[in-house]
Amino acid sequence: MSTPANSVHELQGAELARTAPTRPFLWSVRRELWEHRLIVGAPILAALIYLFFYLVQVIVVRYRMHGVWPTGPEKLHGLLTAPYDFAAALVMGTGFIVGLYYCLDALYGERRDRSILFWKSMPVSDLITVLSKVTIPFVILPLLSFAITLATQVLMLALSSVLLLGSGLGTSTLWTHASIFHDSLLMLYHIVTVHGLWYAPFYGWLLFVSASVPRAPLVWAFLPPFLIGGFEMAIFNSNHFFNLLLHRLAGPETPAMAQSKSVMDVMAALGPLEFLGLPGLWIGLAIAAAFLFAAVRLRRSRGPV
């Protein structure tokens, strides 16, 4: 006959077994967000700074125009839409740089401050820990950058609507040319596929370096690629390795994308099925998986530095 204490332990064990597959992972992701405020703060700061300068530009343009606006569709389109594309590029670029910095410090930082001794005592496996860390650049930062970019563009649209008051054009002209709600779907597609999946080898490599090196992770992150490319140029008089890195950094390309003029046109030319059919995507994901597997194994054996 079981006692009340045994019944409580059985209920706790059943609850733990039911929630264990997801709760440690979710709490690990939350821990990363709590400990690295830069993940959220840097894109928001970039957006706020750009909004300030955009407000200054709005005031200057409104003062200089005096009701005289360009009548050509190309000039008007450039005046009203170019800042939106730049805002998206700035926020997404900031998120990408933050992702690189975070990956380089994610596993090395806990060894440097010796907090790895505490976290290894918790009932969280090395696999869950590494997966929670790689979720930040793969999922959290792309979605966060998209949300911040969309909010920034909506605020810019409101400021531009105020700018057009009394110009004779009306706000409908701005909303027609801006079309940020239509472009937001392409932007979301771009940031998930390119920033999340296409850049996976970069994140995997930096996490591997962060888990393995005893000192100076920034040096170890850039020194091996530099040496490999340098030896190739010195011995074989070619630069295939550097071109490969630049191609990966520039994003996927297809013949249909060669004539595209903007980021949105580029992503519209690369459909989901065409993107998933790129050999470079799966090769990059395989390389990233190998680096992450090595990072998991290294975290089991590495101690404080």
Side-chain angles (χ1 to χ4, degrees):
M1 183 174 179
S2 61
T3 63
N6 291 334
S7 300
V8 171
H9 286 302
E10 290 176 359
L11 291 175
Q12 289 177 345
E15 180 69 18
L16 180 62
R18 185 167 62 250
T19 60
T22 56
R23 287 189 71 178
F25 173 75
L26 294 177
W27 278 106
S28 297
V29 173
R30 291 180 182 180
R31 174 173 75 91
E32 298 303 317
L33 295 175
W34 289 336
E35 292 186 351
H36 301 84
R37 302 298 177 88
L38 192 68
I39 295 172
V40 179
I44 291 179
L45 180 61
L48 291 177
I49 293 176
Y50 184 76
L51 278 174
F52 171 76
F53 284 103
Y54 182 74
L55 177 61
V56 174
Q57 181 190 22
V58 165
I59 295 174
V60 171
V61 170
R62 187 70 179 92
Y63 176 77
R64 290 181 177 178
M65 287 300 180
H66 295 292
V68 181
W69 292 82
T71 56
E74 293 185 359
K75 292 183 178 180
L76 185 61
H77 182 79
L79 176 65
L80 298 179
T81 61
Y84 295 88
D85 294 338
F86 188 81
L90 178 64
V91 175
M92 291 189 294
T94 302
F96 176 60
I97 295 174
V98 170
L100 297 180
Y101 172 80
Y102 165 81
C103 289
L104 194 58
D105 188 68
L107 295 170
Y108 175 78
E110 64 180 16
R111 292 188 294 127
R112 181 187 58 229
D113 59 19
R114 307 182 71 85
S115 63
I116 188 173
L117 299 176
F118 171 76
W119 294 116
K120 281 191 173 184
S121 67
M122 303 295 290
V124 180
S125 66
D126 297 296
L127 176 61
I128 291 179
T129 299
V130 174
L131 288 180
S132 67
K133 292 181 182 297
V134 80
T135 300
I136 299 299
F138 267 61
V139 180
I140 302 299
L141 269 171
L143 295 180
L144 181 65
S145 299
F146 166 74
I148 295 174
T149 299
L150 185 59
T152 302
Q153 291 180 338
V154 169
L155 291 175
M156 293 170 60
L157 191 62
L159 292 174
S160 300
S161 299
V162 176
L163 169 66
L164 285 179
L165 293 177
S167 64
L169 292 176
T171 57
S172 60
T173 303
L174 174 64
W175 287 74
T176 301
H177 283 77
S179 64
I180 62 173
F181 297 103
H182 169 72
D183 292 343
S184 63
L185 297 177
L186 292 176
M187 181 174 61
L188 178 61
Y189 171 64
H190 164 77
I191 201 169
V192 170
T193 55
V194 177
H195 289 244
L197 298 177
W198 188 257
Y199 290 157
F202 295 134
Y203 303 137
W205 163 251
L206 293 178
L207 281 171
F208 168 74
V209 171
S210 181
S212 59
V213 300
R215 294 287 188 278
L218 183 63
V219 176
W220 284 103
F222 291 95
L223 185 61
F226 177 77
L227 291 178
I228 292 174
F231 283 138
E232 181 194 357
M233 294 182 64
I235 298 175
F236 301 103
N237 194 25
S238 62
N239 55 357
H240 297 296
F241 184 75
F242 283 142
N243 288 336
L244 180 65
L245 294 180
L246 291 176
H247 169 72
R248 175 64 59 169
L249 187 61
E253 292 183 2
T254 64
M257 298 164 58
Q259 299 178 352
S260 301
K261 297 181 180 180
S262 66
V263 175
M264 298 306 169
D265 294 335
V266 166
M267 298 317 299
L270 185 65
L273 294 179
E274 192 173 7
F275 176 76
L276 293 176
L278 293 175
L281 170 66
W282 299 105
I283 294 174
L285 291 177
I287 294 174
F291 283 139
L292 294 178
F293 175 78
V296 173
R297 299 299 298 268
L298 286 169
R299 190 178 186 272
R300 296 175 182 174
S301 58
R302 290 294 191 269
V305 294

